[in-house]
Structures are given as structure tokens and as C-alpha cells.
Amino acid sequence: MISGRGSNLQALLEAATRPGYPAEIGLVLSNVAEVEGLARAAAAGVETAVVPHRDFADRRSFEKVVSMRLEEAGCSLVAQAGFMRVVTPWFVARWRDRLINIHPSLLPAFPGLDTHARALAAGVRLHGCTVHFVRDEVDQGPIIGQAAVPVLPGDTPEALSRRVLAAEHRLYPRCLALVAAGRTRLDGERVLHDGGAEADAQLIVPAEG
Ligand code: GRF
């Protein structure tokens, strides 16, 4: 599920073409027409759908159609990649533990928008991104993986955002692969990785490389 540029989507599309990758991208669904992400999906030969949220009277009726399109495409797992709508508890329950999201901060720090400017204003020395299972509260939920990057002297929100985005592109395909391969399980609201230390290490992604 996307709303725009789709650079994380691009990372997932590329990962999915690698031999042995445990997920296939069955549908790219956008709530906004004519965004770059849709062109990326089309270029990769992946089916696309546009479900404009503005066409619906309320969130629930929008989400019912979204859910139906995902089911029709045979999706068993949903990855939000720059999807800029808050989903309702109904959607979260419908896709419980099969709905993941990427957020540009080291959660639980800086949920919400403008994370890079807020991280700079707070003076943190480390910033990064998080892939997590979606729960009712926005930008909360069991953490699947995180990647940290340094905050450097003189950073602007734009410079920091570029550094984090590069980490997002490394992190998201790894997290999606573990979930798709059934190598994650929940212990309460904590994610355990089957495969132990090796799988855990894959999900603390180094800043470079
Ligand atoms: C990313 O920073 C993602 O973490 C956030 O929205 C941005 C989307 O970028 N949720 P892109 O569309 O994947 O390029």
C-alpha cells in the first residue's frame, strides 16, 4: 500500500525478483492516482490498483474496498510503504499480524510526521527507521526490525532524511522476508525471530553497506 514516491516499494520490488526471496508482490495499491510508485510497479510488471480515499464517505467504506482488492489479488500479507492514511481498528483486526509498516524513526521515539526535523530539534545522536506490525495506535506495534544511522554535525532534515531512507531500503526487504517466510512470532507484543541470533542480526542493519 502506497501513497506516493514509492522508493521503499522499489526496494521491495527489487528484492522480490531475487532467487529464493520468500514473497511475491501480488498487488500495489495506492490511495492516490498517478503517483511515482504506481509507475514503478507497472515497470516491474506488477498489478496496480488505485482506490482514492476521497471517493468514500468514511474510512471504513474505503478500507472495505481496499481489503477486498487485496483479497482478490490473493494477498496474504500487506506492507505499507509510505501509505499516508491512518487505518481504523477494523482494518487492523482484519489483517492482524499480517499488516506491516515502515516508519522513519527509531520507534517508540518520534511517532507521527516530520520525524527528521523533530529528531534534530531533540538533539538525538542516533536516528533511523522501524518496521513494525500495525496496531490501532498510529506508529506503534511490535517491532520487527530497526536500522540506526548517526546524526551528523550540520545535518538538515533533508540530509538526515536521505541517510535514513537509504537505511529503510536495506531494512524493509529483510523484515518482509522474515515475516513472509514465517520466521517471526509474537510473544505478547514482542517479536521473536525464529532463527535466533542470525535472524536478529539481520534486522539490526548497519548504517552502511
Ligand atoms: C518513508 O520515509 C517511509 O518510512 C514513510 O514515508 C516515506 C515514504 O517514502 N512512511 P517512499 O514513498 O517509500 O519513497
Side-chain angles (χ1 to χ4, degrees):
M1 293 170 72
I2 61 164
S3 299
R5 179 178 58 184
S7 70
N8 277 289
L9 166 68
Q10 185 72 47
L12 298 179
L13 288 167
E14 284 167 19
T17 65
R18 285 181 215 133
Y21 194 78
E24 188 186 331
I25 303 188
L27 178 70
V28 171
L29 184 146
S30 176
N31 65 315
V32 184
E34 289 170 20
V35 291
E36 196 181 345
L38 288 167
R40 294 177 192 268
V46 172
E47 187 185 333
T48 59
V50 178
V51 183
H53 60 276
R54 290 182 200 287
D55 289 359
F56 298 86
D58 52 47
R59 282 181 194 272
R60 176 75 179 270
S61 40
F62 162 68
E63 289 175 355
K64 282 206 153 172
V65 172
V66 168
S67 212
M68 202 182 67
R69 298 297 294 266
L70 294 167
E71 281 161 34
E72 282 169 1
C75 299
S76 51
L77 182 62
V78 178
Q80 297 184 331
F83 180 69
M84 299 306 286
R85 302 290 297 169
V86 171
V87 291
T88 69
W90 178 81
F91 193 81
V92 174
R94 174 68 192 76
W95 293 93
R96 186 161 176 103
D97 300 339
R98 300 184 300 140
L99 175 63
I100 68 177
N101 180 48
I102 186 157
H103 180 75
S105 78
L106 293 172
L107 292 173
F110 311 120
L113 298 174
D114 298 323
T115 55
H116 309 303
R118 288 160 59 210
L120 288 177
V124 296
R125 290 333 198 232
L126 286 173
H127 186 40
C129 50
T130 303
V131 175
H132 64 95
F133 287 107
V134 175
R135 292 290 186 259
D136 291 352
E137 293 280 317
V138 178
D139 299 328
Q140 279 189 28
I143 291 170
I144 300 161
Q146 293 186 306
V149 303
V151 177
L152 301 177
D155 260 349
T156 59
E158 294 70 31
L160 187 52
S161 142
R162 279 193 294 276
R163 196 173 308 123
V164 171
L165 195 64
E168 292 184 42
H169 298 162
R170 293 191 291 272
L171 179 69
Y172 210 174
R174 297 181 205 207
C175 291
L176 176 63
L178 277 198
V179 177
R183 292 177 63 197
T184 56
R185 65 199 156 83
L186 282 158
D187 174 21
E189 288 294 272
R190 215 161 56 100
V191 176
L192 302 180
H193 300 130
D194 292 332
E198 181 216 334
D200 269 335
Q202 279 185 32
L203 296 181
I204 306 166
V205 177
E208 305 295 336

